[in-house]
């Protein structure tokens, strides 16, 4: 008798789904034999440390929350924002958000804790923006910077996760001990126009430059990993030599341990350090780490690359922007001013430069700035 997929998975001692995130949307081996109902039918449940997980079917409420939504013809968008602010009772805050969100067609990741909120989610524009407007009614979030981009006519996330997370972003040792709620301990945020002017101080040959006054400037890509750089980056930024943000260690090692660290032996008083990431939160977090190490002149790109592309276009930027959802990467035109809701912007009329991007296997120039997942579950590598 032929064994069932579940029996095969059990015999291999594999988890039901890969423990590593897959972004490409390609089906996992074995998972393709399991229906979507089985995969996304977990009920609303209370997780460890009071984490709420709001899944596609909320049996505890006696209704199928996703089945009631008709997505056809909807203009879907993806929304991103974060805010470091003191939240005295995260569990009570989550309950408020959950009560508002239960009737909205929203899926994604919304993390809250004592240090603030970090959100990335998709939904029809009316629902996605309704949550933003509701949040802004709270004076703690009234001036929050919200980034929007088109979602290809469908959800970019499989379900909604609303959780009390110990860390708003993953970093080795956690971030709860970092002074994120103390603005002077974070880097100075630069408006996109200011950032562009700063980039003019950089040479065409590398990420560092020096002026006649003895001051120097270093550009750091503080995103999650090198594979993000591979599809797009600011000119002059070195490819990060890490496989995830939690292992970022710029300025934390000596020359013997990390000879390629661009912050080794720099003058902490006279060096301007420019840090950028997709939406801004990782830079904010890491700037407090460097501040504690004595670095004085720290700058971040306000709103991250997505805000820069909206305000300044492709000036000093090359390629696409990697995103952590089913879309994987977006052309700069997707963020053009006043067109975040226009689905046609996802396919810009002007081609994106792909000349810098190379196949990981044969080193040929790639034609599409979009990653794939290795089909081997034990590998799961994101590659071009």
């Amino acid at each position: 008798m032929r064994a069932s997929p579940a029996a095969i998975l059990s015999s291999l001692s594999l988890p039901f789904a890969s423990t590593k995130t897959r972004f490409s949307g390609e089906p996992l081996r074995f998972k393709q034999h399991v229906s979507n109902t089985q995969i996304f039918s977990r009920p609303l449940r209370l997780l460890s440390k009071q984490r709420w997980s709001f899944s596609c079917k909320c049996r505890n409420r006696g209704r199928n929350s996703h089945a009631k939504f008709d997505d056809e013809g909807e203009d879907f968008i993806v929304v991103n924002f974060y805010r470091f602010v003191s939240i005295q009772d995260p569990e009570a805050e989550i309950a408020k958000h959950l009560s508002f969100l239960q009737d909205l067609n929203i899926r994604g990741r919304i993390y809250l804790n004592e240090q603030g909120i970090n959100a990335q989610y998709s939904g029809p524009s009316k629902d996605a923006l309704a949550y933003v407007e509701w949040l802004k009614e709270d004076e703690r979030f009234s001036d929050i910077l919200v980034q929007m981009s088109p979602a290809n006519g469908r959800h970019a996330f499989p379900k909604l996760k609303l959780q009390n997370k110990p860390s708003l972003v993953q970093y080795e040792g956690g971030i709860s001990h970092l002074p994120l709620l103390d603005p002077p301990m974070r880097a100075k945020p630069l408006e996109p126009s200011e950032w562009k002017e700063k980039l003019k101080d950089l040479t065409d040959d590398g990420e560092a430059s020096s002026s006649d006054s003895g001051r120097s400037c270093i550009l750091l890509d503080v995103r999650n990993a090198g594979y993000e750089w591979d599809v797009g980056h600011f000119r002059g930024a070195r490819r990060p030599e890490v496989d995830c943000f939690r292992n970022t260690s710029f300025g934390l090692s000596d020359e013997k341990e990390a000879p390629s660290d661009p912050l080794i032996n720099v003058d902490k008083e006279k060096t301007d350090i420019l840090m950028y990431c997709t939406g801004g939160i990782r830079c904010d977090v890491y700037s407090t780490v460097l501040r504690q190490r004595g670095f004085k002149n720290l700058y971040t790109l306000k709103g991250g690359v997505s805000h820069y592309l909206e305000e300044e276009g492709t000036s000093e930027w090359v390629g696409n922007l990697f995103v952590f959802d089913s879309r994987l990467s977006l052309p700069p035109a997707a963020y053009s001013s006043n067109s975040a809701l226009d689905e046609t912007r996802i396919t810009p009329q002007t081609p994106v430069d792909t000349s810098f991007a190379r196949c990981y296997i044969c080193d040929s120039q790639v034609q599409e700035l979009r990653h794939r997942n290795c089909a081997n579950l034990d590998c799961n590598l994101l590659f071009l």
Side-chain angles (χ1 to χ4, degrees):
M1 185 169 120
R2 191 173 183 180
S4 67
I8 296 173
L9 287 170
S10 177
S11 67
L12 292 174
S13 299
L14 289 171
F16 178 70
S18 172
T19 56
K20 301 176 183 177
T21 306
R22 293 176 69 86
F23 298 108
S24 67
E26 298 167 357
L28 292 171
R29 292 180 179 179
F30 301 113
K31 183 187 280 190
Q32 59 189 323
H33 300 293
V34 185
S35 70
N36 286 338
T37 302
Q38 289 172 285
I39 296 173
F40 301 121
S41 62
R42 298 171 186 169
L44 179 70
R45 64 196 186 278
L46 191 63
L47 302 177
S48 61
K49 296 186 179 179
Q50 300 293 315
R51 298 184 192 175
W52 286 98
S53 181
F54 179 52
S55 299
C56 292
K57 286 190 177 179
C58 300
R59 292 194 185 116
N60 287 6
R61 283 202 277 268
R63 62 184 174 184
N64 185 336
S65 63
H66 282 178
K68 67 182 179 180
F69 298 120
D70 181 7
D71 295 344
E72 186 173 354
E74 295 281 7
D75 56 331
F76 278 76
I77 61 173
V78 173
V79 175
N80 302 269
F81 59 80
Y82 74 97
R83 167 59 59 87
F84 293 122
V85 64
S86 177
I87 297 178
Q88 298 297 326
D89 190 344
E91 286 77 18
E93 189 73 24
I94 287 173
K96 283 170 48 182
H97 287 241
L98 184 62
S99 177
F100 182 80
L101 290 169
Q102 63 183 345
D103 292 320
L104 297 182
N105 186 7
I106 284 177
R107 305 183 195 177
R109 302 179 291 261
I110 303 175
Y111 300 148
L112 294 102
N113 65 19
E114 293 83 357
Q115 292 178 306
I117 186 172
N118 183 22
Q120 305 88 37
Y121 63 86
S122 63
S125 59
K126 65 179 185 301
D127 286 358
L129 297 177
Y131 178 48
V132 171
E133 293 306 313
W134 175 81
L135 187 67
K136 285 186 173 183
E137 291 175 1
D138 186 327
E139 62 179 11
R140 296 172 299 177
F141 308 106
S142 60
D143 61 345
I144 199 167
L145 178 61
V146 178
Q147 300 298 311
M148 293 178 289
S149 55
N152 292 336
R154 59 183 182 273
H155 275 293
F157 301 91
K159 64 180 180 180
L160 175 62
K161 292 196 295 183
L162 178 59
Q163 298 180 352
N164 179 3
K165 293 273 284 187
S167 294
L168 296 179
V169 295
Q170 295 302 309
Y171 185 68
E172 190 66 36
I175 65 173
S176 60
H177 64 287
L178 295 175
L180 298 173
L181 300 181
D182 184 4
M185 289 300 292
R186 304 199 303 264
K188 177 183 178 181
L190 297 178
E191 294 290 342
S193 59
E194 296 175 304
W195 177 267
K196 185 169 69 172
E197 289 302 312
K198 282 281 188 181
L199 291 184
K200 291 181 179 179
D201 294 334
L202 300 175
T203 66
D204 294 332
D205 298 326
E207 77 283 358
S209 66
S210 298
S211 66
D212 294 337
S213 64
R215 299 189 65 85
S216 63
C217 184
I218 294 177
L219 177 62
L220 296 180
D221 188 322
V222 194
R223 288 180 291 174
N224 200 54
Y227 57 74
E228 295 188 61
W229 186 98
D230 292 340
V231 295
H233 51 267
F234 280 109
R235 292 183 176 89
R238 182 184 298 184
R239 187 182 191 273
E241 297 179 0
V242 294
D243 57 4
C244 62
F245 173 72
R246 69 180 301 139
N247 297 327
T248 300
S249 59
F250 295 126
L252 306 184
S253 306
D254 59 33
E255 192 168 1
K256 291 182 179 179
E257 294 174 337
S260 62
D261 186 342
L263 299 187
I264 290 291
N265 298 326
V266 303
D267 188 330
K268 296 179 180 180
E269 299 280 347
K270 294 185 177 182
T271 304
D272 292 342
I273 299 174
L274 311 182
M275 293 174 284
Y276 74 90
C277 52
T278 305
I281 188 169
R282 288 188 173 95
C283 299
D284 255 352
V285 169
Y286 200 71
S287 69
T288 64
V289 176
L290 292 181
R291 187 76 77 194
Q292 291 179 328
R293 290 290 181 125
F295 290 89
K296 302 298 184 183
N297 307 300
L298 302 173
Y299 302 91
T300 55
L301 174 55
K302 182 179 180 180
V305 180
S306 56
H307 186 45
Y308 180 90
L309 295 177
E310 178 184 359
E311 297 293 324
E312 299 295 334
T314 57
S315 177
E316 304 302 325
W317 177 265
V318 58
N320 285 353
L321 178 61
F322 186 94
V323 290
F324 284 92
D325 55 57
S326 63
R327 301 170 300 169
L328 283 176
S329 75
L330 290 177
Y335 292 97
S336 296
S337 296
N338 302 317
S339 62
L341 305 185
D342 184 356
E343 294 288 341
T344 62
R345 304 296 298 199
I346 200 69
T347 306
Q349 306 240 335
T350 53
V352 175
D353 179 15
T354 64
S355 60
F356 68 93
R358 299 291 166 179
C359 172
Y360 285 20
I361 297 171
C362 68
D363 201 38
S364 299
Q365 181 179 333
V366 301
Q367 299 303 311
E368 182 185 16
L369 293 176
R370 188 175 188 273
H371 287 84
R372 301 292 188 270
N373 274 110
C374 176
N376 185 335
L377 290 179
D378 292 329
C379 174
N380 205 39
L381 176 73
L382 274 173
F383 68 96
L384 289 175

